[in-house]
Amino acid sequence: MRRRDVLGVLGGAAVWTRRAHAQSPALPVVGYLSPESPGPFASRLKAFQEGLAESGYVEGRNVTIEYRWAEGEYGRLPALAADLVGRNVAVIAATGGAPVALAAKAATKAITIVFEMGGDPVALGVVDSLSHPVGNLTGVSSLSVEVSRKRLEFMRELLPNASVFAVAVNPTSPTANSQLSSLHMAAETLGVKLHVLQASTEQEFPAVFAALAPLGAGGLVFTSDPYFAFRSQPLAELAVRHSMPAITQSRDFPNAGGLMSYGGDFTQSHRRAGLYVGRILRGEKPSDLPVQMVTKVELFVNLKTAGLLGVTFPPSLISSADMVIE
Amino acid sequence: MIRQRLRFRGLFRKYFLALFLAVVVPLAAHGISEAWFGYRDQRARLDQLLGVEARSAAAKIQAFLDEITNQLGWLVQLPWTDEPDERRRTDALRLLRQVPAIVSLTFVDGAGRERLYVSRIGLNRSESRTDRSGEPAVQGARASRIWYGELSYFRGSEPYLTVAISGNRPSVGIAVAEVNLKLIWDVISAIKVGDTGLAFVLDGPGRLVAHPDISLVLRGADDETLIPFRTIREEIIRSGARFATGRDAQGKFVAAAAAPVAGPGWTVVVEQPLSEAFGPIYAALWRTAGLLLTGAAFAGLLAFALARRMIDPIRRLEVGTQRIGAGHFDHRIDIRTGDELQRLAESFNAMTADLAVSQERQERIAKLKRFLAPQVAELVDRKGDDGVLEGRHTEVVVVFGDLRGFTAFSARAEPEEVMNVLSQYYEALGRIITKYAATLTSFSGDGLMVLVNAPVPVEEPALLAVDLAAEMQRAVQELIVGWQAQGYRVGFGVGLALGPATVGRIGYESRFDYTAIGSVVNLAARLCASAADREILADAAVAEAVMGKRVVNPLGPRLLKGYDEELPVFGIPFDTSPRAA
């Protein structure tokens, strides 16, 4: 009698565990590929999950998310992407820039990839058409890369007397060349001289700032690059330390004490990427989902920093700013 | 039997159908008319509703465009000078911030030269003085104040619209705005038609300007995507003022209506899935169908039960009449329906009881007729009381008749001859006994006994008995003439006596006889035995009773067998018929 009871309990436990196991494969798995670590990416991830929820998917309830973080080492992205492909996830969300999208694209032709990036997906060879992406990719692009020349314009407007500016570029970025040529053309139009400074790791940042004064640069313009965007805090600190007016693509920069930023609204682009992942999970084909451009470009200015740096924003800048930090 | 079964079925079917249809036809008529009118009402309501929704949606789209033109209007109020206009530049930048849909702004002065260009993406330009007077936007705005360009797709995907506005005089110039129509999405996605209905916007050639599913818009001028939208717009145009039905991009049936957006020549189409638009009427239809089915089932059951109730008693009546017809008068038809059928069954049962009584009476009369004259038997039966046959003491005349020499004849003659003689003999006597309403108590062989004054009393029984005896003699003597011609040697003697006797029925079960017991019977029998052929002998009581009314010849005292002393005997003469003489 007692032995039978024990067997019964064991049997019940076995059934229970099997059922628990049987339930998890039923949930679709989203592979989430990010170039950074969870900390700086939290606001982006939140926006992504909001978009996913808007299309009816909530993590843990009806979808599972497998996270892969490159933690700033962009060289690890291909291996992480391949790992997700090996796990045979339902869809890969490649967010946080063109390098992530390209790494995912190289890893699979079968699994649908939804990208989130700042550059032109056609020019970068991610997709061949915005309206009818052929293949297994679609996604969202903010206009951050395209508006890097506007950053130079804003800097020139802020400092009408300066004739020399510096541009910080990440040579490993796939958009580096196109942004530089656009900036050189803009400098010509604006009649200013441009110095290009390179930095692809955080360790090179101090050297960039140290080089500014000898060059006589009035201000520093950062090209659009996720690596820079996710390192707004140290950049803002360096800029203040060197009393250097600087502009980046991300609102994180003025929020962290930088002077200003001009770039696409990343909450919108990440939210829409989440929305597209949900629609792919529902069974829509990537070719039916045109690549979305986030039209909203936002100008953030920090008046406190301006006071520290001793610069004054002209009314035209203040009036066109989306957010003025006082 | 088979024919009856068929007839039975036919009646059942008739009743069943009549009852069933009586319920189902009005129910169905009501249900169908209800559904039809409900459907018409719902269509009319939908016409109204979708029309209002379409106009409201068009007004919202118009408001989106009006917001842009209103804002632009502020910038074309002051005339351009030759100097750069820094204030207008600031205003333009503020406008970009204020209206997110505007991607870029171009200002052209009265001479058609570009004075200012501000953009979210590209570099701003000031005082480029490029001649733009030949551009359609500038010419259009000059001609009609507000000018809307054709829908264009940025990089084949994002829909853009050029809007130009001129001031109230040429010197204030013209403002041209590039508008990203993707931002209408906020407006269009907020429009809800019913629960799941939506609105979308098409331009003149039928390209998608706005749709809640932005990915459809971003496909650009893709004919395959656009076909369903164009088709439904054509359907709406065809159906005129009423709403149209068609299929949406997913192939679902929708009801749709449209309203124009005047400025850019767009059409706003609102659509609602037919399943939702006609939801109430579908629900009503299902309800009606359910009610009809339930009603029909109920009517069927009711009709079946009622038809059964009607047919069952009829069937019992049928069986009952058959049994009664077969003579089972004890059969009773048992119907308790409490209606005319029960009454019919009861009258059937009463009739059967009457028939049984009547048959019993017939049988009793037949029995009485055996020893009573038929008229007496009828009388007894009519009175319904055979108490008259009960035993009692009364004065009777007993008449005995007997053939002489019959025993010897019957020993010699053939049985046929004997039976022939007896049958002629009894036939003749029976007629007479019936005529005189006398009671034949018994006969055996050639002898018979007849009672007068019992059981039914008569006036002057002796006189009747004497006349009876005389007629008996006359009739038999006529027969004897014939018999003697055939060589049969037989005669006939009669004896009668008057006196008290006990009369009544004797016998058992159905074998009853009426008879008299007493010395008068004995005396009459002895007188008969004593009588010769052609002789009627009567006792003194008879003679005394008929004295003076009939001829009675005293024959003097005679010693009769069984009597110790001689008794006076009287002969009654009778005149034979002329033929016998």
Side-chain angles (χ1 to χ4, degrees), chain A residues 184-298:
Chain A
H184 280 299
M185 276 168 67
E188 212 168 297
T189 311
L190 296 169
V192 295
K193 191 169 160 51
L194 216 55
H195 288 290
V196 178
L197 301 168
Q198 293 191 336
S200 55
T201 64
E202 212 172 327
Q203 289 73 40
E204 295 172 83
F205 288 169
V208 169
F209 279 90
L212 292 172
L215 287 170
L220 175 61
V221 174
F222 281 89
T223 55
S224 293
D225 184 71
Y227 191 82
F228 293 157
F230 290 108
R231 279 149 192 85
S232 294
Q233 185 74 38
L235 289 179
E237 283 164 14
L238 280 167
V240 170
R241 198 183 309 153
H242 289 86
S243 291
M244 178 55 63
I247 181 166
T248 73
Q249 74 177 89
S250 169
R251 63 166 86 150
D252 295 345
F253 182 69
N255 282 336
L259 184 63
M260 57 178 170
S261 72
Y262 189 67
D265 180 352
F266 64 78
T267 56
Q268 248 189 53
S269 59
H270 282 266
R271 197 174 57 83
R272 292 199 184 162
L275 210 70
Y276 261 16
V277 167
R279 288 179 71 167
I280 296 288
L281 286 177
R282 285 244 188 88
E284 289 192 53
K285 293 196 297 285
S287 56
D288 284 342
L289 301 175
V291 174
Q292 285 199 46
M293 310 288 276
V294 172
T295 334
K296 193 179 171 198
V297 201
E298 53 185 16

Side-chain angles (χ1 to χ4, degrees), chain B residues 237-500:
Chain B
I237 292 166
R238 244 203 301 281
S239 64
R242 318 203 62 176
F243 74 87
T245 53
R247 284 164 184 268
D248 68 359
Q250 282 80 45
K252 277 193 298 184
F253 282 101
V254 293
V261 179
W266 294 345
T267 312
V268 176
V269 176
V270 294
E271 60 179 34
Q272 191 179 20
L274 266 189
S275 57
E276 186 191 317
F278 282 129
I281 193 68
Y282 288 155
L285 277 177
W286 278 115
R287 269 200 307 277
T288 305
L291 266 174
L292 263 176
L293 274 178
T294 330
F298 182 69
L301 279 174
L302 200 75
F304 186 80
L306 274 174
R308 274 284 295 273
R309 267 184 72 108
M310 282 184 140
I311 292 309
D312 194 46
I314 290 171
R315 179 93 190 108
R316 284 193 204 188
L317 278 170
E318 200 182 358
V319 170
T321 51
Q322 278 169 8
R323 295 209 56 177
I324 291 160
H328 298 278
F329 293 115
D330 55 342
H331 182 80
R332 292 289 176 271
I333 301 168
D334 185 25
I335 295 174
R336 294 172 200 285
T337 52
D339 54 16
E340 284 84 347
L341 284 168
Q342 184 175 348
R343 213 184 299 160
L344 180 63
E346 277 162 5
S347 78
F348 247 101
N349 287 338
M351 186 195 79
T352 314
D354 287 350
L355 276 176
V357 167
S358 161
Q359 198 202 26
E360 209 179 271
R361 188 165 148 242
Q362 293 287 335
E363 279 170 5
R364 207 165 54 234
I365 290 169
K367 254 187 244 170
L368 288 172
K369 273 181 180 166
R370 286 230 318 277
F371 48 87
L372 294 179
Q375 49 271 56
V376 176
E378 290 279 355
L379 175 84
V380 167
D381 188 68
R382 218 172 13 254
K383 280 177 159 177
D385 173 23
D386 49 4
V388 75
L389 304 177
E390 294 301 311
R392 63 191 157 94
H393 220 66
T394 189
E395 187 101 328
V396 293
V397 182
V398 179
V399 181
F400 269 90
D402 198 2
L403 286 174
R404 298 285 167 267
F406 182 77
T407 313
F409 160 73
S410 64
R412 269 195 322 271
E414 293 295 315
E416 289 83 25
E417 288 173 324
V418 174
M419 295 317 283
N420 195 29
V421 165
L422 280 179
S423 92
Q424 286 179 7
Y425 169 67
Y426 278 119
E427 206 172 301
L429 291 182
R431 209 161 34 235
I432 295 157
I433 292 164
T434 302
K435 181 180 161 192
Y436 284 84
T439 306
L440 175 69
T441 60
S442 68
F443 57 91
S444 65
D446 58 328
L448 81 168
M449 174 181 157
V450 175
L451 280 180
V452 176
N453 206 33
V456 183
V458 294
E459 278 176 35
E460 299 190 81
L463 195 63
L464 186 84
V466 166
D467 289 349
L468 171 74
E471 193 153 352
M472 282 166 74
Q473 256 311 354
R474 266 197 303 277
V476 176
Q477 286 310 322
E478 268 178 45
L479 288 172
I480 286 171
V481 173
W483 293 341
Q484 280 179 342
Q486 287 178 312
Y488 307 154
R489 301 265 167 258
V490 289
F492 182 59
V494 176
L496 64 163
L498 171 71

Side-chain angles (χ1 to χ4, degrees), chain B residues 83-399:
Chain B
E83 299 302 307
D85 191 341
E86 187 53 33
R87 208 173 133 203
R88 204 182 302 233
R89 196 178 83 93
T90 310
D91 286 346
L93 290 170
R94 282 169 57 195
L95 182 59
L96 281 190
R97 205 183 73 75
Q98 195 65 30
V99 187
I102 298 177
V103 179
S104 71
L105 276 170
T106 310
F107 292 90
V108 176
D109 65 11
R113 289 166 304 176
E114 181 194 295
R115 300 297 295 271
L116 176 66
Y117 169 84
V118 291
S119 165
R120 290 177 194 279
I121 314 292
L123 294 179
N124 301 341
R125 284 191 300 268
S126 247
E127 304 297 329
S128 77
R129 312 255 170 161
T130 316
D131 183 20
R132 298 209 180 275
S133 57
E135 288 182 8
V138 175
Q139 288 185 341
R142 271 182 184 158
S144 60
R145 206 177 101 78
I146 297 173
W147 177 86
Y148 295 97
E150 285 287 306
L151 186 71
S152 64
Y153 291 97
F154 176 66
R155 301 189 60 182
S157 177
E158 301 214 345
Y160 273 70
L161 178 73
T162 306
V163 180
I165 184 168
S166 63
N168 55 0
R169 56 209 148 117
S171 60
V172 296
I174 290 161
V176 182
E178 288 290 326
V179 179
N180 188 338
L181 293 175
K182 217 167 67 175
L183 280 100
I184 299 187
W185 185 85
D186 291 332
V187 180
I188 206 80
S189 65
I191 296 171
K192 291 274 177 273
V193 182
D195 287 334
T196 55
L198 52 85
F200 60 87
V201 184
L202 291 178
D203 74 345
R207 289 173 298 188
L208 206 51
V209 176
H211 192 283
D213 181 358
I214 192 75
S215 64
L216 291 174
V217 179
L218 295 180
R219 284 183 205 171
D222 178 50
D223 283 331
E224 203 182 317
T225 306
L226 294 172
I227 280 170
F229 300 107
R230 287 173 183 168
T231 311
I232 200 134
R233 186 171 69 168
E234 280 159 23
E235 287 289 335
I236 293 165
I237 292 166
R238 244 203 301 281
S239 64
R242 318 203 62 176
F243 74 87
T245 53
R247 284 164 184 268
D248 68 359
Q250 282 80 45
K252 277 193 298 184
F253 282 101
V254 293
V261 179
W266 294 345
T267 312
V268 176
V269 176
V270 294
E271 60 179 34
Q272 191 179 20
L274 266 189
S275 57
E276 186 191 317
F278 282 129
I281 193 68
Y282 288 155
L285 277 177
W286 278 115
R287 269 200 307 277
T288 305
L291 266 174
L292 263 176
L293 274 178
T294 330
F298 182 69
L301 279 174
L302 200 75
F304 186 80
L306 274 174
R308 274 284 295 273
R309 267 184 72 108
M310 282 184 140
I311 292 309
D312 194 46
I314 290 171
R315 179 93 190 108
R316 284 193 204 188
L317 278 170
E318 200 182 358
V319 170
T321 51
Q322 278 169 8
R323 295 209 56 177
I324 291 160
H328 298 278
F329 293 115
D330 55 342
H331 182 80
R332 292 289 176 271
I333 301 168
D334 185 25
I335 295 174
R336 294 172 200 285
T337 52
D339 54 16
E340 284 84 347
L341 284 168
Q342 184 175 348
R343 213 184 299 160
L344 180 63
E346 277 162 5
S347 78
F348 247 101
N349 287 338
M351 186 195 79
T352 314
D354 287 350
L355 276 176
V357 167
S358 161
Q359 198 202 26
E360 209 179 271
R361 188 165 148 242
Q362 293 287 335
E363 279 170 5
R364 207 165 54 234
I365 290 169
K367 254 187 244 170
L368 288 172
K369 273 181 180 166
R370 286 230 318 277
F371 48 87
L372 294 179
Q375 49 271 56
V376 176
E378 290 279 355
L379 175 84
V380 167
D381 188 68
R382 218 172 13 254
K383 280 177 159 177
D385 173 23
D386 49 4
V388 75
L389 304 177
E390 294 301 311
R392 63 191 157 94
H393 220 66
T394 189
E395 187 101 328
V396 293
V397 182
V398 179
V399 181

